[in-house]
Amino acid sequence: MIKLKNILNEISEEESNRLLSKIRNKEFKFFNSGDNGKIYSINGEDLLMKITSEPDETAVADVIVGRYNEFNAFIPVVYSDSMNNMYIMNQASNLSSTMLQEISNFYENYKEYARSQGVETSIFDYFNNDGARNLNENISSFIRALEQQVKNTGIGDFELSLDFKPDNIMSWNGNLVIVDW
């Protein structure tokens, strides 16, 4: 069960009680699913609850929860419960088709680069070696910020397991964010 003390201070006590009540009363519905989990929208909220089978995912959520000012390349996480493999995050928006296409092109070039390296390599290795050339400045800034913030999580080898792909990059408050890691 979710405890009030686990909800961040940035959510008022009244909002926390309302959110906790909705979760307890199962006022959420299926939203989407991926390789490692399912996402549910919480009725009447701009929040999504993710249940994941990937422990590394909740480990990251545990680090970034409530720290959007420090981890603004990630979708804000407002609650994390690693014991139940669940976290609650803000809901993001899809990218424009132009931005999505540019990220897709970057990602395809990264996959080619990774294959040519013959060793495990990260998206940041590609970005820092050749990938930033001719890349939209918003995307470049996002990737630079993401690289630093991945390091700041303190989770070893996270840069190698980061699930950077076009479907996992979205927009929140006009900024690029990674929504699945």
Side-chain angles (χ1 to χ4, degrees):
M1 174 171 296
I2 298 172
K3 296 184 179 175
L4 184 60
K5 70 179 184 175
N6 291 335
I7 299 292
L8 297 179
N9 293 332
E10 64 188 45
I11 298 175
S12 73
E13 186 174 342
E14 182 179 314
E15 290 174 288
S16 298
N17 287 332
R18 186 172 48 78
L19 180 59
L20 290 170
S21 177
K22 285 184 175 192
I23 292 171
R24 272 190 231 110
N25 293 324
K26 299 186 184 335
E27 293 181 36
F28 47 85
K29 61 184 174 191
F30 178 79
F31 184 79
N32 204 348
S33 64
D35 295 336
N36 299 314
K38 293 183 179 176
I39 301 170
Y40 302 88
S41 61
I42 300 171
N43 296 357
E45 304 292 331
D46 193 23
L47 298 170
L48 300 173
M49 174 177 57
K50 181 161 188 186
I51 310 287
T52 181
S53 61
E54 183 59 46
D56 291 346
E57 212 170 320
T58 53
V60 173
D62 285 347
V63 171
I64 68 173
V65 64
R67 299 170 67 187
Y68 182 71
N69 289 337
E70 295 171 68
F71 294 97
N72 61 3
F74 291 84
I75 188 71
V77 173
V78 299
Y79 172 81
S80 183
D81 181 353
S82 55
M83 295 293 289
N84 290 309
N85 297 319
M86 185 267 285
Y87 57 93
I88 298 173
M89 61 188 155
N90 284 91
Q91 187 168 342
S93 303
N94 290 327
L95 299 177
S96 70
S97 58
T98 304
M99 188 71 77
L100 183 59
Q101 185 59 53
E102 192 163 345
I103 290 172
S104 295
N105 292 342
F106 172 79
Y107 182 66
E108 290 304 314
N109 291 335
Y110 156 68
K111 291 192 310 185
E112 243 178 69
Y113 172 82
R115 281 189 291 273
S116 74
Q117 294 303 300
V119 294
E120 200 166 27
T121 186
S122 77
I123 196 84
F124 307 120
D125 294 330
Y126 169 64
F127 177 78
N128 291 318
N129 284 316
D130 195 33
R133 190 168 25 127
N134 301 320
L135 196 58
N136 173 310
E137 183 54 39
N138 288 337
I139 298 171
S140 292
S141 295
F142 163 69
I143 294 172
R144 278 193 288 279
L146 183 62
E147 179 179 23
Q148 187 58 51
Q149 292 167 31
V150 163
K151 289 177 186 173
N152 290 347
T153 66
I155 297 172
D157 294 337
F158 180 29
E159 71 278 358
L160 296 174
S161 65
L162 181 69
D163 196 9
F164 186 101
K165 60 184 180 182
D167 292 349
N168 291 341
I169 311 301
M170 297 183 84
S171 176
W172 186 78
N173 278 356
N175 299 310
L176 294 175
V177 291
I178 191 163
V179 298
D180 189 7
W181 39 87

